[in-house]
């Protein structure tokens, strides 16, 4: 039996790549597409919906979401409330929202995944960075994305920062008396260290974590050159969430 998949945000850069991945896997079946601004009624025989409410009672197993930060929480809630296991790549969730969605998934007995990054290299970078931060507590995160990205810092940078916060003893970095002559010059502060967001055309999704210590430095870097880099993670997520009974945050929870 194939896993029936809905793709929300199917016309976007990530959503359209996910549609092709689902279509290319015989174990998966694309059953519905969602985009509030779509004009077409169907694509290759797959029905297109413009309002999520029209999917109430629809027969599907998994809700793949690559939409926009401002609707991601409502969409994920909707999926759980209607029996679709969410696999969400959309970024911009707060810690409270994630905790609420995990609680809702337990109540419903449904699996789910919110993954700020589906690329295996990015997962490894996060783990290595957290480990290194125990020994190199002075660090800065620089995330670099295409210039159409709506949220900053990236979900990957936030997740990396959270993992570092768990591993590293708190340290307020920089000079005690440092001052910004232009606001924002030192980036965003998180647990005493800084996060910088670069937005440029030509980029896809990249991140560096730079560590500094007495007389030495260490740089960890991951690059997604193409959105295909996220698809094995999305595929794994779809196949895993249908076997589980609660939502998890981070692809590493399923590896
Ligand atoms: P994008 O190209 O702008 O695609 C988003 C699509 O969602 C657009 O086609 C948009 O339509 C549509 N949309 C907006 N509101 C919607 C709604 N309520 N329901 C359904 N569809 C809706 O953006 P993208 O580059 O694909 O990125 C999408 C999200 O994935 C972002 O949050 C991004 O940060 C994240 N992302 C995650 C990963 C990961 O590995 N987890 C990797 C890359 C990107 P309109 O354009 O008509 O508004």
């Amino acid at each position: 039996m194939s896993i029936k998949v809905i793709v929300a945000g199917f016309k976007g850069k990530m959503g359209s790549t996910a549609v092709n991945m689902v279509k290319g896997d015989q174990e998966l079946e694309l059953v519905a597409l969602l985009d509030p601004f779509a004009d077409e009624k169907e694509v290759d025989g797959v029905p297109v919906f413009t309002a999520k409410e029209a999917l109430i009672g629809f027969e599907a197993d998994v809700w793949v979401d690559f939409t926009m930060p401002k609707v991601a929480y409502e969409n994920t809630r909707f999926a759980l409330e209607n029996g679709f296991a969410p696999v969400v790549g959309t970024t911009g969730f707060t810690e409270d929202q994630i905790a609420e969605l995990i609680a809702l998934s337990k109540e419903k007995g449904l699996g789910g995944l919110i993954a700020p990054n589906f690329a295996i290299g990015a997962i490894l970078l996060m783990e290595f960075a957290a480990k290194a931060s125990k020994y190199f507590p002075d660090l800065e995160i620089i995330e670099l994305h295409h210039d159409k990205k709506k949220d900053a810092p990236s979900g990957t940078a936030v997740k990396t920062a959270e993992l570092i916060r768990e591993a590293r003893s708190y340290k307020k970095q920089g000079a005690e008396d440092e001052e910004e002559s232009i606001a924002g010059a030192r980036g965003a502060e998180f647990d005493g260290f800084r996060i910088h967001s670069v937005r440029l055309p030509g980029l896809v999704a990249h991140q560096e974590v730079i560590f500094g210590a007495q007389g030495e430095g260490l740089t960890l870097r991951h690059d997604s050159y193409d959105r295909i880099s996220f698809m094995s993670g999305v595929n794994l997520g779809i196949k895993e969430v249908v076997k589980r009974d609660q939502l998890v945050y981070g692809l590493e929870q399923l590896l």
Side-chain angles (χ1 to χ4, degrees):
M1 270 258 291
S2 54
I3 302 171
K4 294 184 166 59
V5 181
I6 297 170
V7 177
F10 77 100
K11 296 177 98 162
K13 292 181 280 295
M14 286 296 290
S16 55
T17 313
V19 162
N20 289 334
M21 180 276 291
V22 172
K23 281 182 172 173
D25 186 333
Q26 289 190 338
E27 291 174 40
L28 309 180
E29 185 188 351
L30 187 66
V31 292
L33 300 164
L34 175 70
D35 184 306
F37 308 102
D39 297 323
E40 56 276 66
K41 296 276 171 277
E42 60 169 66
V43 176
D44 298 337
V46 180
V48 172
F49 296 84
T50 50
K52 63 179 182 309
E53 291 71 23
L55 284 155
I56 294 171
F58 195 84
E59 201 196 316
D61 305 300
V62 175
W63 173 286
V64 172
D65 200 291
F66 284 107
T67 57
M68 294 168 84
K70 66 177 182 208
V71 300
Y73 170 74
E74 280 308 321
N75 277 6
T76 309
R77 224 189 145 79
F78 175 86
L80 287 169
E81 278 166 352
N82 288 283
F84 311 127
V87 173
V88 182
T90 316
T91 46
F93 288 88
T94 64
E95 285 182 50
D96 286 350
Q97 287 176 334
I98 290 168
E100 270 177 49
L101 291 165
I102 291 173
L104 178 62
S105 74
K106 284 185 191 164
E107 206 181 288
K108 300 280 176 190
L110 266 183
L113 168 66
I114 297 175
N117 204 310
F118 281 104
I120 185 73
I123 307 297
L124 291 172
L125 164 60
M126 288 188 242
E127 282 202 29
F128 297 159
K131 191 167 190 184
S133 71
K134 279 188 213 166
Y135 309 100
F136 289 89
D138 288 271
L139 63 105
E140 308 232 346
I141 299 177
I142 305 175
E143 57 94 344
L144 312 90
H145 282 81
H146 59 88
D147 62 342
K148 301 286 181 292
K149 183 164 177 60
K150 297 194 172 56
D151 54 325
S154 69
T156 306
V158 174
K159 174 90 183 168
T160 309
E162 288 169 357
L163 291 172
I164 288 171
R165 180 177 57 191
E166 280 170 32
R168 163 185 177 268
S169 303
Y170 176 82
K171 178 171 185 190
K172 170 98 172 67
Q173 286 173 214
E176 282 285 313
D177 54 352
E178 100 180 344
E179 275 177 28
E180 288 179 331
S181 57
I182 300 177
R186 291 286 293 115
E189 188 181 338
F190 184 99
D191 206 44
F193 61 89
R194 302 285 170 160
I195 306 176
H196 310 267
S197 297
V198 177
R199 296 291 176 266
L200 287 172
L203 295 174
V204 178
H206 317 259
Q207 180 167 287
E208 282 185 9
V209 184
I210 305 176
F211 300 87
Q214 294 286 318
E216 63 179 322
L218 171 70
T219 300
L220 300 173
R221 180 176 171 112
H222 173 257
D223 297 279
S224 273
Y225 301 115
D226 190 296
R227 290 179 178 84
I228 195 81
S229 63
F230 304 115
M231 290 305 130
S232 55
V234 180
N235 186 285
L236 174 88
I238 294 171
K239 290 176 182 170
E240 280 296 316
V241 294
V242 293
K243 299 181 203 156
R244 298 184 180 234
D245 58 7
Q246 86 170 63
L247 184 143
V248 294
Y249 171 50
L251 183 68
E252 65 282 4
Q253 307 286 335
L254 301 183
L255 294 174

